Amino acid sequence: MKLTVDFSALHRAVAPLGQVVTDFSITSDASELESIGSHLNQGMILGKDIQLDEIDGSNGVLNYDGHQVMLYIPDQGGNISSVLQDGKQKGARRVHVAECKTIIGMRERGRFNDRYDVISRVDGFFPVFGGDYHSRKELKGDADLAVCQNCLVLLNHNNFSQLGWSEKNQLINSFSYSKFFEAYSSYFKSLPQSTAGFRAGNYTSDWSSISSKLRSDLDYCCEQCGVDLKSEKKLLHTHHINGNKANNQRDNLRVLCVDCHKKQPHHAHINVSNSDVLKINQLRREQHKFDVFNYDNLREYADTALDGLLQKCQSTRLPGAELGIVIQDKETFVSIDLCWPRRKVAVLINMSNSNILRRHGWTVFTAFDALNNFENFQRQIR
């Protein structure tokens, strides 16, 4: 598709600046706009639409082509009637969100199970079917299936491995797939379509100027963590405290860095990249905004994808880690998500620069590797 746009007004506007303007055109291939997100939302069959080796579990959470996904068995057999009434009951199929022992077993056997569907629907309901024991009829519908406990143990999600029996049941019954995906969003290209709760609409027509003026008046500093973002203004937002975007009274507005904004109640749908979190933590460190590196402090400012590991470290009383450290290698700067500098132990979400750190004598883990080899991990730190 070729777009023809009149840029003459733009040309006249920049002419006094002495800029050289050249003719150009914009082209787009409509096929580039097609996303697999809608297909994953509806469910795709493992072994038919997607092969098991196309699903990456190296970071713990399941990933297909940069998208968060889940695996589950839609065929509920003779229990279909009761599963449609209560999908969290004993005997109902569970939903896998991570590289748990069930998924590992499938890989080790060199086979998938063609009963599984791959899906990214996150409202808690999943398409199921089965042959009812009593009526002998084929039934189908959407069931509120529970998450796999082994997946939660693997990631130590919400400190699951340290909870008592009743607390674990409560977490499973109230589990939010949407919030889970948002917590681990740093590993992925984008959030699933149905988690995009944020809407650009409903703002007043003068919102842009109001937000811009307020950020300028506060000298581009976050009102929560205090980080100065004059050098990275795009990382500073204006937040409506009560959620009403039409209420632009000063007492309803708060200027926040994107990391603090994402962590406000009901704002986890704001997709903040791992690189932006690293940049903010680097600036926080340079500006001495980290007073004490205790675990409450770490969990407040670290990437949410690291929270399961941080809670494990806290429960085992490992020495506190640090945020915002950058290592220079010639002209390359490597930002570290979480580290213990005296022991030269680092945890990275993006492992692309791990070899540089290793050349400098660092031991590097992913959060998933640290959790699943925790004895070795903690020996490196203590």
Side-chain angles (χ1 to χ4, degrees):
M1 176 174 67
K2 185 172 182 177
L3 302 178
T4 302
V5 183
D6 182 6
F7 288 100
S8 58
L10 176 63
H11 293 179
R12 290 193 297 272
V14 300
L17 304 178
Q19 300 297 314
V20 177
V21 180
T22 59
D23 291 331
F24 64 93
S25 62
I26 300 173
T27 60
S28 174
D29 182 350
S31 64
E32 295 173 0
L33 304 178
E34 185 176 355
S35 169
I36 64 169
S38 59
H39 298 292
L40 287 171
N41 195 311
Q42 298 168 12
M44 302 173 73
I45 300 173
L46 183 63
K48 178 182 177 183
D49 302 317
I50 300 175
Q51 301 302 313
L52 182 60
D53 59 10
E54 295 179 280
I55 297 178
D56 180 13
S58 60
N59 286 320
V61 283
L62 300 177
N63 175 347
Y64 171 68
D65 191 33
H67 298 266
Q68 289 187 3
V69 293
M70 300 169 281
L71 286 166
Y72 82 107
I73 298 176
D75 185 356
Q76 300 291 320
N79 293 325
I80 183 63
S81 293
S82 55
V83 169
L84 286 170
Q85 292 178 11
D86 178 10
K88 293 184 171 66
Q89 64 173 287
K90 186 176 180 181
R93 309 289 189 184
R94 298 299 188 236
V95 178
H96 301 283
V97 296
E99 185 81 356
C100 72
K101 61 183 181 181
T102 301
I103 309 303
I104 292 172
M106 289 166 62
R107 295 189 192 279
E108 289 177 345
R109 291 192 299 273
R111 62 183 292 271
F112 53 82
N113 189 321
D114 57 10
R115 296 183 301 164
Y116 279 89
D117 272 13
V118 184
I119 197 167
S120 67
R121 179 174 169 176
V122 292
D123 61 1
F125 288 86
F126 300 85
V128 295
F129 63 88
D132 182 61
Y133 277 133
H134 304 290
S135 67
R136 303 296 180 182
K137 292 181 179 179
E138 288 291 322
L139 302 177
K140 63 180 180 179
D142 290 345
D144 59 337
L145 300 181
V147 67
C148 167
Q149 294 190 40
N150 292 327
C151 292
L152 301 186
V153 170
L154 186 75
L155 300 170
N156 197 34
H157 181 68
N158 285 355
N159 209 26
F160 188 83
S161 59
Q162 304 299 315
L163 300 179
W165 181 81
S166 62
E167 292 172 309
K168 287 180 176 177
N169 281 336
Q170 183 178 356
L171 192 155
I172 289 170
N173 287 330
S174 62
F175 184 82
S176 166
Y177 291 96
S178 178
K179 289 180 179 178
F180 174 86
F181 275 34
E182 289 158 357
Y184 294 92
S185 61
S186 292
Y187 290 116
F188 302 93
K189 295 176 181 177
S190 63
L191 289 171
Q193 292 180 357
S194 55
T195 66
F198 174 78
R199 295 289 181 269
N202 301 325
Y203 288 100
T204 59
S205 60
D206 57 351
W207 170 243
S208 179
S209 59
I210 291 172
S211 173
S212 179
K213 184 178 185 305
L214 183 55
R215 285 178 288 147
S216 176
D217 289 346
L218 293 174
D219 208 22
Y220 300 98
C221 291
C222 175
E223 290 189 271
Q224 180 159 314
C225 70
V227 65
D228 183 333
L229 289 172
K230 282 193 288 291
S231 63
E232 298 284 345
K233 295 177 184 177
K234 66 181 178 66
L235 299 182
L236 195 66
H237 290 180
T238 304
H239 164 61
H240 287 93
I241 296 171
N242 69 2
N244 181 1
K245 300 171 188 175
N247 181 356
N248 296 329
Q249 297 298 313
R250 178 64 182 94
D251 60 2
N252 189 45
L253 301 178
R254 201 171 181 211
V255 170
L256 300 174
C257 70
V258 294
D259 184 47
C260 289
H261 196 189
K262 172 184 171 66
K263 293 170 181 174
Q264 297 304 302
H266 313 298
H267 278 67
H269 55 264
I270 297 176
N271 193 23
V272 181
S273 69
N274 174 242
S275 60
D276 285 345
V277 175
L278 287 170
K279 172 55 70 176
I280 289 172
N281 277 336
Q282 179 185 343
L283 292 171
R284 285 168 175 163
R285 185 180 186 87
E286 291 172 356
Q287 297 166 18
H288 307 288
K289 302 302 178 184
F290 293 134
D291 295 326
V292 180
F293 280 102
N294 58 45
Y295 276 100
D296 289 338
N297 183 282
L298 285 167
R299 291 184 60 205
E300 182 178 359
Y301 295 118
D303 193 299
T304 53
L306 300 173
D307 197 57
L309 174 61
L310 284 170
Q311 291 191 75
K312 180 75 169 180
C313 292
Q314 184 175 17
S315 66
T316 54
R317 299 186 178 182
L318 276 185
E322 296 192 32
L323 304 170
I325 286 184
V326 179
I327 303 300
Q328 183 175 0
D329 179 76
K330 298 178 182 178
E331 296 181 356
T332 301
F333 293 86
V334 181
S335 296
I336 303 176
D337 291 281
L338 186 70
C339 70
W340 288 258
R342 292 185 181 180
R343 297 294 187 182
K344 300 190 83 169
V345 175
V347 176
L348 298 181
I349 289 176
N350 183 344
M351 294 291 283
S352 60
N353 288 321
S354 58
N355 288 336
I356 294 176
L357 290 180
R358 292 188 178 105
R359 286 203 305 269
H360 284 262
W362 287 76
T363 302
V364 184
F365 293 85
T366 65
F368 181 51
D369 288 339
L371 278 168
N372 286 279
N373 298 281
F374 196 77
E375 291 300 319
N376 175 48
F377 175 71
Q378 67 175 334
R379 279 197 300 270
Q380 303 288 335
I381 294 169
R382 293 193 187 276

